[in-house]
Amino acid sequence: MATVKTKRERIKFASDNVAGACPEVLDAVLKANDGDSTPYGNDQISAELQKKFSELFEKDVIVFPTASGTAANALALATMTPSYGNIYCHKLSHINTDECGAPEFYTGGGKLVTLNGINGKITPEELDQSITGKGIVHHTQPASVSITQVCETGEVYQLDEIKKISEITHKHNLNMHMDGARFANALTALNCTPAEMTWKSGIDVLSFGATKNGCIAAEAIIFFNKDLVGNIAFLMKRAGHLLSKMRFVSAQLDAYISNDVWLRNARHANKMGKKLSEGLAKHNSIKLAYPTEANEVFAKFPRNMIEHLNSEGYKMNEDELDGQAVRLVAAWNTQESDVDQLLETLKKSN
Amino acid sequence: MATVKTKRERIKFASDNVAGACPEVLDAVLKANDGDSTPYGNDQISAELQKKFSELFEKDVIVFPTASGTAANALALATMTPSYGNIYCHKLSHINTDECGAPEFYTGGGKLVTLNGINGKITPEELDQSITGKGIVHHTQPASVSITQVCETGEVYQLDEIKKISEITHKHNLNMHMDGARFANALTALNCTPAEMTWKSGIDVLSFGATKNGCIAAEAIIFFNKDLVGNIAFLMKRAGHLLSKMRFVSAQLDAYISNDVWLRNARHANKMGKKLSEGLAKHNSIKLAYPTEANEVFAKFPRNMIEHLNSEGYKMNEDELDGQAVRLVAAWNTQESDVDQLLETLKKSN
Amino acid sequence: MATVKTKRERIKFASDNVAGACPEVLDAVLKANDGDSTPYGNDQISAELQKKFSELFEKDVIVFPTASGTAANALALATMTPSYGNIYCHKLSHINTDECGAPEFYTGGGKLVTLNGINGKITPEELDQSITGKGIVHHTQPASVSITQVCETGEVYQLDEIKKISEITHKHNLNMHMDGARFANALTALNCTPAEMTWKSGIDVLSFGATKNGCIAAEAIIFFNKDLVGNIAFLMKRAGHLLSKMRFVSAQLDAYISNDVWLRNARHANKMGKKLSEGLAKHNSIKLAYPTEANEVFAKFPRNMIEHLNSEGYKMNEDELDGQAVRLVAAWNTQESDVDQLLETLKKSN
Amino acid sequence: MATVKTKRERIKFASDNVAGACPEVLDAVLKANDGDSTPYGNDQISAELQKKFSELFEKDVIVFPTASGTAANALALATMTPSYGNIYCHKLSHINTDECGAPEFYTGGGKLVTLNGINGKITPEELDQSITGKGIVHHTQPASVSITQVCETGEVYQLDEIKKISEITHKHNLNMHMDGARFANALTALNCTPAEMTWKSGIDVLSFGATKNGCIAAEAIIFFNKDLVGNIAFLMKRAGHLLSKMRFVSAQLDAYISNDVWLRNARHANKMGKKLSEGLAKHNSIKLAYPTEANEVFAKFPRNMIEHLNSEGYKMNEDELDGQAVRLVAAWNTQESDVDQLLETLKKSN
């Protein structure tokens, strides 16, 4: 039989974090291992990251590498949100639903004010109306706004959408955070520059995700607004996120943003997502829940199809998003044959 | 000349965390990268760690891998210390002096009650006298005791010392934590079993260090007392220490404890530490500050010697311990020639 | 003219906390001042409160007096909610909108999951659907439910409504809190016993409000479920809510619940609220926003009326509830003439 | 017999917080109850406190009244100490030993660095040597210094001692807090002005205690350095320390600092302390542990004396300070006959 069904292959599409690291990133880790190195980020590779990210973003930025996306988000938000502060975000946002309260932990008890938005995106109008109570001691205080790019329904914020949200944010003197867990997927979908998708659109601090798109464990907190850096170095250390052999995280990031590795990986994942989406759309009984704009596909399946897929080893659990849509995610290492195989398996479910 | 002096080599002895990972650990990382894998520690490698550590410790333990030693300590302590709790520790302990208040952060405001001890070790008598105020609402409440093995002066707690401290700890119904950042170095120094140095001596929870002794970024929180596990899984996630591609941390630990890799590394580091210590002791003007029992050497140098070493590229800063002793640490990859080179350089300082 | 308009009188109806204390409570404070007394709640008056509240609630309860309603709520919730826990409450609830994040502070970063409800009350159905994610490490964990009685729109939860919410709460193994800031007003509105409105309807812990209804600064945290008491004594002390001369708080509570003082005060306030509500309803241009069930009246006024009232010294600011309804609150000391005066003033606004 | 021994009288000397409020303070509370008043400190009495305290301290100060001394201390320290900050204080200080970790709670996990001092006072030299590690990310960061006046051994910091400590504090760019739980007792002992004992000696923020010296529950946080006020208003609200009927706290403070009531009370308490101290010193078998400089007496008694006193109804428990000295405290309402009675009782213990 052509398609060998090992258990391992079948977790494909469950998420893009099921994939390992791409060759360039692994090579960089091996190379970083050569010789001794100053610990705690005071090494040569980490030092050069500052310059490389500054070039990438066409702006003098400050970068803090970290091994965890949840930590990147929470630390970033903690620099812009006091313990009694409000973080405005979409109700489906990862920081609200999937980080076990990390922003609350790192801010010392901040409040996530959740917006309904349209699909997975927040709207400037709802945001504007929600920012109230400033200066009144009885109310938690408006402090920051966070959007996710790619957002939690697989859609991508357009540049003008980001700009409008940033304008509202800054109009109220709040700060603007982007959770870029799938930054590269969004960037290649929009076909714009990193600068355009971030500080040129009003982003103050970015969680730059790399793990899902070809790294082992590597993210970066990137400050476009340097005034916000504040005490993050102490918070990172205090939280155990200043790794002693930090060079290994930095080396991953270095390789990731060099030679367009990250863009290549993301373009491929998006392409596989599109292929999968189009394949699913051909089924009469399957309905796409949201437009597929990057590497995530949300679709509603008849129950028997889900059961069949799972019986074949897939992990197509119904998503909790709305009790109906199932999420399938293509990764940098998803093969055309993986997509074909899933679509083939689907056919047999009837 | 045989010894080429690059800047890189000269940071040797600054700490054991300047070393990279040993070949077996790197190989395991590469191997773990092969194929997709369930995220967040629900992979095969992570699952098997439970069994392997249980065999290693001759007891059914519960293991939480993490990339950070500071996080391992703070998370472990948070399972045994309420926000109003006291953690008794040596005044020089890493948790008190070098983690920027991580235990305070993770416990939600716990208090480190510092003991003077003798050299770097706490004594049962001082501990016993310090545990007061239980049940009185005005006082922070005695909760846990933490010792470091190898301790902060390079000395190793003997088994009977650990037992006596544990007895006092348990007599007061507190819990006992060991910061085993250099667990393997202590173990091989004592030439005992992992079980003997931990639960058989009364340790309830262990921070099992692996990073310094040949890993990239890998530690494990090991519960001998399962009742203490509590909510650590939620705390880890909430703090950003549940990595999505956790298998890469687990793979390091797996390789590290397999085939005596960890013991081999530690024995070598200790041997190099001893060689260095003996070499230093031969100098009339150098005085060992503490006995060298594992891989750390503390010595008092004349100022001109320190200056000479530093001018030659070493990083022999005076330690803050007491304003006098300098710490030199041998690692798993320290060469005999590294030691010879340093001793040779010293000779030329006169 | 009969009605003398001093500035002082005109803040009437802004809230019931503009009123001072009733004579019985003041007398008790004076009496408590006679002689020395053991501090920190170890006095005779405080000790007897346990028995008196147990009699009042027909159950052996545990009582913690406190001077602050916000503290009472937050401390109560902290006994039933871990740092990563969810507190389910109405979006308009005082704990969500008017305590500057006190529950988040006291729980160490808990999350308030806000429900839309119907008017100011949460519904069992919405609550049931919102309690998800239990045991999944990525999600903050369902922990407790809080309802306000009288609720934030002036409506009173009926006994069967409380029971149904409690059933859902306990079905999911969560705990049930009642913010009883206007407990007496609700109780007299329902004409039931304290037991019926609390533990007999499934309440586990109650914030028993007394300040608004005739005390200076006196609230009580009342545990019907003693298993939840936990560490509250340490949390109270740690937060500065264990007053040294606690007897003065206890004395207020003692007088308040003795001789039906509290019920008399509440009945009168409710009666004045009803009178005011009926008076307003007679105006064609005024519309009651919610039914007046206790001492709070919510009504929508034409803007010119509000402006006229304010020009006459009232503080009839538009409420933030929905941008339209204005809240007027009758207190234990509101006079019939106060109501008449306001209605009279209204007439002149045309 | 003239001296009637009720249980109540015998708790005298256990602390000065066993006393009730003085007549002027009670009258002020009664008077404040007259009529309605804007809540949450927006009342006339609270507003005028700003001016009155500014006059008292000969400087434009900002005042926050609160009902709790522990809260006053912790809130004050939270304005000058980040979560990763060090608070330097005497090992016996109330904030370290008797507030169940309130400073740690309010700062979000700050560290109290305890100094040995001489008797109960910290010394500039030890403080200077202890302030280390600034700017190094591994260390908790020096932030603030706190001294207690009267200190925990009953001694009073002299003006030049305060100045020298403040100089060290400010030399390191830290901020200076005074826990003035017994501010008036110290002030009258030194016979200086409030300005001299505070900002003229370098104090930035003061916890101004009034409860022990004749109030019901009233303290004030006083900012001499206005830059430090920061977010304290939000922290107070969030912690439940912004009482709705705040006017009753303000009224106490108002009466307390008017017409020298506070000075009269303190002078009397000190006088009674001195009388007691002199009486005890006449016993061969009793040894004063520290000089009696205000209203607190620390003395070492033979065990049989303590037992005799306790059998007569006193609460002369051995103090935890050092396992030997017993603390006796005179209050504003201590009578000469109370002192005589205790001394008389002592005589009979042989």
Side-chain angles (χ1 to χ4, degrees), chain C residues 15-203:
Chain C
S15 178
D16 34 6
N17 61 24
V18 304
C22 66
E24 294 87 348
V25 165
L26 276 185
D27 286 350
V29 167
L30 291 182
K31 204 174 151 200
N33 195 56
D34 185 28
D36 293 339
S37 189
T38 314
Y40 299 112
N42 295 314
D43 59 280
Q44 195 60 24
I45 306 172
S46 300
E48 283 175 13
L49 269 190
Q50 304 296 330
K51 205 182 58 175
K52 291 186 178 173
F53 269 105
S54 294
E55 285 167 7
L56 194 68
F57 281 97
E58 304 170 52
K59 188 180 178 73
D60 201 18
V61 300
I62 300 179
V63 181
F64 293 87
T66 172
S68 151
T70 291
N73 281 339
L75 283 162
L77 290 167
T79 66
M80 34 170 88
T81 316
S83 63
Y84 51 88
N86 289 340
I87 300 166
Y88 297 87
C89 60
H90 194 282
K91 65 181 174 185
L92 299 176
S93 63
H94 199 268
I95 59 168
N96 186 48
T97 65
D98 279 296
E99 302 187 352
C100 199
E104 288 93 337
F105 179 48
Y106 278 84
T107 58
K111 186 189 281 288
L112 272 62
V113 178
T114 56
L115 307 175
N116 292 319
I118 295 175
N119 286 350
K121 299 183 195 174
I122 67 176
T123 67
E125 296 72 26
E126 189 187 1
L127 174 63
D128 199 19
Q129 286 161 15
S130 302
I131 301 174
T132 60
K134 210 157 191 185
I136 301 173
V137 81
H138 304 287
H139 308 324
T140 48
Q141 293 295 295
S144 57
V145 176
S146 180
I147 59 173
T148 314
Q149 182 78 317
V150 178
C151 86
E152 282 78 6
T153 54
E155 296 166 290
V156 177
Y157 280 99
Q158 301 300 306
L159 293 190
D160 66 320
E161 291 177 319
I162 303 175
K163 277 177 193 158
K164 280 179 189 158
I165 293 168
S166 294
E167 277 165 21
I168 300 298
T169 300
H170 293 140
K171 184 184 82 173
H172 291 279
N173 290 315
L174 312 192
N175 293 304
M176 186 77 192
H177 170 252
M178 176 182 278
D179 172 359
R182 293 186 178 88
F183 189 84
N185 301 95
L187 191 74
T188 52
L190 290 182
N191 200 21
C192 66
T193 68
E196 285 168 346
M197 202 168 83
T198 54
W199 63 272
K200 286 188 175 174
S201 295
I203 301 300

Side-chain angles (χ1 to χ4, degrees), chain A residues 8 11-12 16-21 26 29-30 32-40 67-68 70-71 98-102 104-106 211-212 214-217 234 237-241 243-245 247-248 333, chain B residues 8 11-12 16-21 26 29-30 32-40 67-68 70-71 98-102 104-106 211-212 214-217 234 237-241 243-245 247-248 333:
Chain A
R8 254 198 164 169
I11 60 165
K12 269 211 187 303
D16 35 6
N17 61 24
V18 304
L26 275 186
V29 167
L30 290 182
N33 196 57
D34 186 29
D36 293 339
S37 189
T38 314
Y40 298 112
S68 151
T70 292
D98 279 296
E99 302 187 351
C100 200
E104 289 92 337
F105 180 48
Y106 278 84
T211 306
K212 292 182 202 292
C215 288
I216 290 174
F234 295 103
K237 171 68 195 184
R238 180 172 177 73
H241 284 293
L243 298 184
S244 60
K245 300 187 179 176
R247 58 171 152 162
F248 289 105
N333 70 346
Chain B
R8 253 200 165 168
I11 62 163
K12 264 208 190 308
D16 35 7
N17 62 23
V18 304
L26 275 186
V29 166
L30 291 182
N33 195 57
D34 186 28
D36 293 340
S37 189
T38 314
Y40 297 113
S68 151
T70 292
D98 278 296
E99 302 188 350
C100 198
E104 288 92 338
F105 180 47
Y106 277 84
T211 305
K212 291 181 202 292
C215 288
I216 290 173
F234 295 103
K237 171 69 195 183
R238 181 173 177 72
H241 285 293
L243 298 183
S244 59
K245 300 187 179 176
R247 57 170 151 162
F248 289 105
N333 71 345

Side-chain angles (χ1 to χ4, degrees), chain C residues 8 11-12 18-21 26 33-34 36-37 68 98 100-102 106 211 215 237-241 245 247 333, chain D residues 8 11-12 18-21 26 33-34 36-37 68 98 100-102 106 211 215 237-241 245 247 333:
Chain C
R8 251 198 166 166
I11 62 165
K12 269 213 186 302
V18 304
L26 276 185
N33 195 56
D34 185 28
D36 293 339
S37 189
S68 151
D98 279 296
C100 199
Y106 278 84
T211 306
C215 287
K237 172 68 196 183
R238 180 172 177 72
H241 284 293
K245 300 188 179 175
R247 58 171 152 161
N333 70 345
Chain D
R8 253 198 163 168
I11 61 166
K12 269 213 185 301
V18 304
L26 274 185
N33 195 57
D34 185 28
D36 294 339
S37 189
S68 151
D98 278 295
C100 200
Y106 277 84
T211 306
C215 288
K237 171 69 195 183
R238 180 172 177 73
H241 285 293
K245 300 187 179 176
R247 58 172 150 160
N333 70 346

